[in-house]
Amino acid sequence: MTSLLQRLSAERNRKFVGRERELELFLDAIASRELPFHILHVFGPGGVGKTTLMQQFLRFCERSKISTIYVEGRNIEAAPESFVSTLRSLMGLNESDSPLHVLAQRQERNVILIDTYEAITQLDEWLREGFLPHLSINTLIVIAGRNPPSSSWCSDPGWQALMHTLPLRNLTPEQSQTYLTTRDIPTTQHQAILEFTHGHPLALSLVAEVFAQGKEISFQAESAPNVVKTLLSRFIKEVPTPVHRMALEACAVIRLTTEAALNQILAVPQKNTLAGEAHSLGEILDVHDLFEWLRGLSFIESGQLGLFPHDLAREVLIADLRWRDSEFYNELHHRARQYYTKRLGQTQGQEKHRVLLDYIFLHRDNSAIRSCFTWGEQSSLLTDSLRETDKTALLGMVAEYEGEESAKIADRWLKRQPQNVVVFRDLHSEPAGFAMMVALHTATVEDLSADPGALASWQYLQTHVPLRPSEGATIFRFWMARDTYQAVSPTQSLIFINFVQYFQKTPGLAYTFLPCAQADSWTAMLNYFDLTRLSETDFTVEGRHYGVYGHDWRIVSPAAWKEILARKEVTTAGESVDNTPVGEPLLVLSQPEFVEAVQNALRNFSCPDVLQNNPLMRSRSVHEMLSGLVKEQVATKASVNENPLDTLGERVNALQNLVKQAVEYLQSSPRDEKLYRAVYRTYLNPAPTQEQAAELLDLPFSTYRRHLKAGMTRVTDILWQREIS
């Protein structure tokens, strides 16, 4: 008759997947004539499957009739006598027998498995120096714990030669899917589960149990708080203080944690009651100590540029924080955004790219963004300008992925606008990818006509949104990675980061176009970033179709764009995402339309009911003026409407202030002083009639009219330059 123990063992074995490399290593070791190593040190974060793997090792030993002792660290006191007593009991020895003596005399192969080693780390030195060296040469000791071997193991030449370390990672996507299939999880749910668990065995097991109990139809981390709580307890048994928890949560929110970043993000003002001075929590609690505490956690990794949690640990920490305290989650994002905004103004070159990636990482919780970037600690790619020796490689990439005809088009633009090409170089300084930003407004008719992509975008501009003086438009005509074309990759991520940097730093940029070979696959991400699909600008070259996305920076300026993204930053896939700029959409007025609107605003300066219908009410200049007025109100703690940009009276006031500033600017020039007086007496502080205005100015009426006309022209010019600058 089958025992319950046999049934348990069979079920555990049936649900065990993966770990082929680890199992092969162990089997080869116990089967070898002479052990290749005597210590096998398995380590990894909580729940990664160390105990399950140790149980498989035990099964293999039992199957091979190898004498095995399994010591569970959490069940014994961290003292030598307790360890020896446990061995004596497990080996079935008498109280007077010495387990060490018995083990030392064994001639046959035997294995000692020590699990949950972190619970008995106080025994580390004793085991290394006083116990393990005296065992038989046929003994294999397997240690499993959260932490890698201590430096004392690694610095000892003897143990170096006799020890093999085995870091245990999550299951691969293929292994994870196999596990979900064995647990009868619907295939429609696999992707969502994999995105949350990242192949973490305990997480997979817990989610599978949720489905087994019929509690979830569509898995989302926030809807399974018990799963998150269990995982969190495996990662962190206890946190010393609330500020340590804040530091841990900040580490989960940002891409890379440094002491500087931690100090800024934890900067909560506290009053020193004796000195009356304000300090940050970081100053009071010593950010260095917090950083070192984070560094010592088993699920936190250290890279060249900072600390970062294992993927699942990040997911769990964020899911728990959003569920438990969404307001503080939002506050952490706000502080991180402020920190990166400040850093963007202080950095250049490669460092600026890294800060931009940190900035965009804050949007990672939204699935539309997460899958479209690689979020690794760093890329070895360097950003550089075009060199003459690069052209063959770049044109080779275009020919490979887009055909010879496209390569000819690219060659033409390389000759015409070489300064608008960015090259991404690998460790050998070879081009690993590139991006070509073609300035449409400086291109000749012949060049545009030779490129269906550039021509389609230029024609769209002429038909729908003509450029005004001093404005420019760019098409990101060619962008690709050497090995992966336009698929998600470190090169593609860096290309997109460069696009963001380009439209933030390029003066006078009115419109950008982004063609994509697989346009539909980028819809969610590009719509999130407020790029609109422009089917009219799609084009075909050599049978290959390209879909195009665009953005009008005159309607949604880079500053307004950042405001929109800030509102979206803490949304997830299931939440609505608002692409609407604050206030009404801006109008892009042609110069004649703008002149007419300014003249109308002057004539009706004192008539708010008429001004509210003036097109300038939706101009960029008024929007910026209104933003400035709101900031002044906030700075002076004046009463501010909840959404002042949508208050009609506020916008009328902003338009009046804009016009008044332009008129008063005339006083700065002695030559324009007379023009100022004419405009002031006619519109800002008007006389009853123009004839009376001329009398008040002591001017002949014809001279007054000439001054007024010239003054209106100057005011219009001043406002126009402000609008298009």
Side-chain angles (χ1 to χ4, degrees), residues 394 397-398 421-424 432-436 478-481 491 495:
L394 304 193
M397 292 182 211
V398 178
V421 179
V422 176
V423 179
F424 307 99
F434 77 101
M436 181 185 294
F478 294 98
W479 59 277
M480 62 192 68
T491 305
I495 288 172

Side-chain angles (χ1 to χ4, degrees), residues 198-230:
H198 296 278
H200 188 273
L202 178 61
L204 287 166
S205 176
L206 291 172
V207 173
E209 186 58 30
V210 169
F211 276 91
Q213 295 175 10
K215 292 182 179 178
E216 294 294 330
I217 298 174
S218 178
F219 178 78
Q220 290 182 337
E222 286 86 350
S223 63
N226 289 335
V227 170
V228 172
K229 181 181 178 183
T230 301

Side-chain angles (χ1 to χ4, degrees), residues 84-98:
V84 171
S85 176
T86 299
L87 283 182
R88 183 181 293 113
S89 174
L90 292 171
M91 294 168 67
L93 302 177
N94 296 322
E95 191 67 30
S96 59
D97 294 333
S98 166

